[in-house]
Amino acid sequence: MCMKVKDIALLEKKLDYVFKNRELLREALTHKSLRKPYNNERLEFLGDAVLDLVVAEFLYNKFFQKNEGILSKMRASLVNEKSFYKLAMSIHLGDYINLSISEDNNGGRLKASLLSDAFEAIMAVIYIESGLNEVKRVFYPIMLGEFDIDENTLLRDYKSRLQEYTQEKFGCIPIYELLLQKGPDHKKSFTMQVKIGDNIYAIGEGASKKIAQQEAARITLEILENK
């Protein structure tokens, strides 16, 4: 499938951005399955770093009272394949990607990894052409249109992601158990552990049971994904 001018005009309308370098945009929208001399992998690499910074700056300014640990967790819940896939779907990015016939027939236009990579790549093009401020102008409305940017919503994502993962890989859901509760009422601390089947995977601590569960889920995801 080749890019058409009318197709790109629709994409530009959704992004509220007019691309200057059509050759670079073609590269961003070309999957490696097409076996062209170019594909979007290098731009995806750059776009990942750009969006990491853009999201970090947004959270830094919005949550000025939160510490580095909390900010890092919130950023991780937004800067990942699942989140970028959701953003790519919101602008129907799959309709504009150049794929091989076999990849297209195998549902490539709906694959999370493929779409998230392409989303990062087009953000890299905007960065190269117009700079970081223009990336923020384009990206922030898309992000805010798809996600509720508050601490509880963002941190809750770890538990959801872990449950999806364990259901797919193990056919069961994680169980959270309270190990310890300490401190006065105004400054309590909770320690929770995660069990998947008969195995204990991680322990998390926090100022509430929910936060402790999120921390335990985050650590467990890191363990499982690294394996």
Side-chain angles (χ1 to χ4, degrees), residues 167-179:
Q167 285 178 317
E168 179 183 349
K169 300 293 185 180
F170 303 116
C172 64
I173 61 173
I175 302 297
Y176 298 88
E177 298 177 342
L178 178 64
L179 295 181

Side-chain angles (χ1 to χ4, degrees), residues 42-52 84 119-121 123-124:
R42 281 172 49 84
L43 286 168
E44 178 268 326
F45 164 78
L46 177 60
D48 180 68
V50 169
L51 291 177
D52 194 63
F84 291 155
F119 185 83
E120 290 172 325
M123 290 297 143

Side-chain angles (χ1 to χ4, degrees), residues 89-152:
M89 289 292 289
S90 75
I91 59 173
H92 305 286
L93 188 57
D95 295 342
Y96 309 97
I97 299 175
N98 299 311
L99 303 170
S100 67
I101 294 174
S102 61
E103 185 67 45
D104 201 353
N105 290 338
N106 286 328
R109 297 186 189 283
L110 296 176
K111 286 184 179 178
S113 60
L114 194 153
L115 287 176
S116 64
D117 287 352
F119 185 83
E120 290 172 325
I122 63 168
M123 290 297 143
V125 175
I126 296 173
Y127 171 72
I128 292 169
E129 292 184 341
S130 305
L132 199 61
N133 285 335
E134 192 68 0
V135 174
K136 290 186 282 188
R137 186 192 68 79
V138 173
F139 176 75
Y140 286 161
I142 301 173
M143 178 181 71
L144 293 171
E146 294 299 315
F147 296 106
D148 294 322
I149 311 296
D150 66 77
E151 182 180 356
N152 290 332

Side-chain angles (χ1 to χ4, degrees), residues 177-181 191-193 202-203:
E177 298 177 342
L178 178 64
L179 295 181
L180 181 64
Q181 175 180 326
T191 302
M192 306 289 296
Q193 72 177 13
I203 293 173

